[in-house]
Amino acid sequence: MASGNGTGDTMISIERDGLAFRFPNVHRDAACRIEFQRTLRIPDDGRTYPLPPGLGRFPLRHFDDFAERLPEDSVRRGGVVMPMHQAEAVWISFLGGLGSNPYPCAIKIATGKVCAVGGEPWEEGLTRDPQNYLVVPGQPWLDGYCVEKGTIRQFVAMPLGEGYSAEEQLTGEAWHGGLQLAVYPMRRNVYEELPKPRLGSRVREVLELFPSDLMGVAPGGRMAQQIYRDAFGLDAWDQQRGARSFVTLANSRQWMAITGERPPTKPPTAHEYAKAELPWFLFYDRDREEVDGAERLGALRTVAGTENGLA
Amino acid sequence: MTYFGARTRQLREHLRQNDRRYSLRQVAHRVGVEPAYLSKIERGVAAPPSEATTVRLARELGEDPDVFLAMAGKVSSELQAIIRKRPKLFADLIRRLRDAPDEAIFRVVRVVRDGEW
């Protein structure tokens, strides 16, 4: 990545418990917002489920604010910290642009430095084959690892070092944990040649219902979700002006210890939610090409599979 | 027609092209107002709604709540509370930054530090 966050080329800030990425030297509209939504953990029983709802945003804090209470190795990573209960699920929401003008961005997402889209180890920059990024607007959210075309396995927080995480299964190490993000804005000249701004359609309801053990992320239940192929091509993205962040996951006990704040309450189970006859969601755009799932990710053991193996 | 009303209708109609959930009736229901009232807001016959409704409308239509509130001629009570806590400091800061370019304003905001990983 050519420059650090906050150099004028790129800037990441925490705004309303979301990460706002801005690239003022690319274009005044060059920006995107990423949020981490609390959600139901869908059953890990081999069946394919529709999209669960959002139950509000996870809180985010600057990691540096708690540096004196944390190991030096993890402080060096910078970024932000967010609380998750063990076995809690998360989906990641994307908004290209911050005002009323959508701005296309390419976004890389990894857990434990394993790409959640292409399944490869983390490397700087974008690759097309396999595609290791998402394009927003267009891809409104990501709920898990892209294991096959049209199907993901839900992101589920599990303790690092117990064999559950994608990182441990693919690299044999429990070192990074957490989530990693990188955003690359569209090149200014490509953006200016686009047809008039297209507003994204976001039909998934976000319900604001509820007001060392660092965590990794493991694959959970199967869910129907399309991951779209980049229709612009690699040259459209300004890879000299990307910005990235490490998101450390803290379990509820550690979150209280380092921030002094109570973590959000545990979300209801999928069974409790269905019993209350609350809605699930479908999002499907049949006109757009999808990426194939990553074989490496499809071969991972799920949380339930690992538990059965350990029993 | 007010700009707030026109923008609300523009965003809603755009979303409705691909999703019938963005009909006047359904959006009004989700943000907790009568359809007739939302119609009046969109036509500029009624003044923009309360802060809470404006924020719900912004979220429903994928607009930034602060931008939507500004179009409605309002400033969020959260921002007002921040200014009231240190009125001199923030009034001075806002005046000083009034004509500053966006990049200069962004430098004032605390950034998330990226490290080694």
Side-chain angles (χ1 to χ4, degrees), chain A residues 3-41:
Chain A
S3 58
N5 303 335
T7 59
D9 260 358
T10 68
M11 195 190 94
I12 309 177
S13 56
I14 298 177
E15 294 178 17
R16 294 194 198 91
D17 284 330
L19 286 175
F21 290 73
R22 289 188 174 85
F23 307 92
N25 288 355
V26 175
H27 191 281
R28 55 176 283 188
D29 294 333
C32 87
R33 177 177 170 84
I34 298 179
E35 295 177 357
F36 303 93
Q37 283 283 341
R38 306 181 63 222
T39 191
L40 308 173
R41 185 177 162 200

Side-chain angles (χ1 to χ4, degrees), chain A residues 124-169:
Chain A
E124 300 299 330
L126 305 174
T127 62
R128 184 84 165 139
D129 190 21
Q131 182 175 312
N132 67 350
Y133 58 99
L134 312 168
V135 175
V136 298
Q139 186 80 46
W141 43 68
L142 181 70
D143 286 61
Y145 301 97
C146 180
V147 294
E148 59 190 69
K149 201 170 187 171
T151 305
I152 59 97
R153 284 233 178 236
Q154 194 175 29
F155 290 133
V156 176
M158 292 299 283
L160 206 54
E162 295 184 14
Y164 291 97
S165 70
E167 174 186 0
E168 287 163 84
Q169 292 189 51

Side-chain angles (χ1 to χ4, degrees), chain B residues 65-80:
Chain B
D66 286 324
V67 172
F68 228 43
L69 282 167
M71 282 192 292
K74 300 173 195 287
V75 174
S76 78
S77 47
E78 175 212 359
L79 286 180
Q80 290 181 43

Side-chain angles (χ1 to χ4, degrees), chain A residues 270-279:
Chain A
H271 179 69
E272 289 163 343
Y273 186 84
K275 205 172 160 187
E277 298 184 346
L278 291 164

Side-chain angles (χ1 to χ4, degrees), chain A residues 7 58 60 71 94 127 136 147 176 184-185 187 201 210 227 240 247 258 273:
Chain A
T7 59
F58 282 98
L60 296 176
F94 312 107
T127 62
V136 298
V147 294
H176 301 289
Y184 301 89
R187 290 181 196 279
S201 174
F210 310 109
I227 309 297
Q240 297 304 307
V247 182
I258 61 180
Y273 186 84

Side-chain angles (χ1 to χ4, degrees), chain A residues 213-235:
Chain A
D213 306 26
L214 291 182
M215 308 280 270
V217 181
R222 286 170 64 94
M223 197 186 301
Q225 185 166 69
Q226 295 174 296
I227 309 297
Y228 301 114
R229 184 163 286 284
D230 174 15
F232 296 107
L234 276 185
D235 288 344

